[in-house]
Amino acid sequence: MDDHTYEPRPGRVVPPAPNAVEVDPVYQLQTNLVATAYEICVGLDAYRDQYGAFPDSLTVEDDGRVSATDATLSAVVPAYVRISYVPNAPDGTAYLTVADTESGMAMSCVQSGEEGWITNS
């Protein structure tokens, strides 16, 4: 098994997340994490364009929508996913991690300057 393969526990079904394509069940969780991280990063870029900076924090609402103090991002986080967000790290970058609460599989993104978000899973 490579680093990007996840074998769901027996009986666990991971359906496609919003905006994620349906793939082989072995890869569905990874695909969902990638799609969720991408949607959040797009929302963060739109937020920065509108407000001039990234939000100080993100909250996942009861319905799964991601929100900041001034706005709701278009991203929806599946119930089994947790997010970690650091908008202003000491090195000037922003970090976002989207992880499965059961397995720990995660997708991380880093944003530095105007380069855009880069995955480093």
Side-chain angles (χ1 to χ4, degrees):
M1 180 181 336
D2 64 36
D3 290 340
H4 299 288
T5 303
Y6 168 75
E7 292 188 29
R9 75 174 149 74
R12 184 177 186 199
V13 177
V14 180
N19 298 313
V21 296
E22 185 171 350
V23 297
D24 183 305
V26 172
Y27 299 100
Q28 190 65 61
L29 179 58
Q30 178 187 12
T31 300
N32 290 355
L33 294 174
V34 169
T36 301
Y38 175 79
E39 289 297 315
I40 294 171
C41 291
V42 167
L44 287 169
D45 283 342
Y47 185 97
R48 183 181 63 178
D49 290 346
Q50 182 172 354
Y51 296 101
F54 289 124
D56 291 333
S57 64
L58 296 177
T59 303
V60 178
E61 304 297 336
D62 291 340
D63 65 358
R65 298 220 175 264
V66 179
S67 65
T69 304
D70 304 320
T72 298
L73 283 58
S74 62
V76 176
V77 176
Y80 55 85
V81 170
R82 72 182 190 293
I83 65 171
S84 173
Y85 170 65
V86 178
N88 298 303
D91 63 1
T93 58
Y95 295 93
L96 172 73
T97 300
V98 177
D100 174 44
T101 56
E102 182 177 317
S103 70
M105 177 183 267
M107 171 62 63
S108 296
C109 303
V110 178
Q111 203 282 346
S112 180
E114 296 302 317
E115 296 175 23
W117 291 91
I118 301 167
T119 60
N120 62 353
S121 60

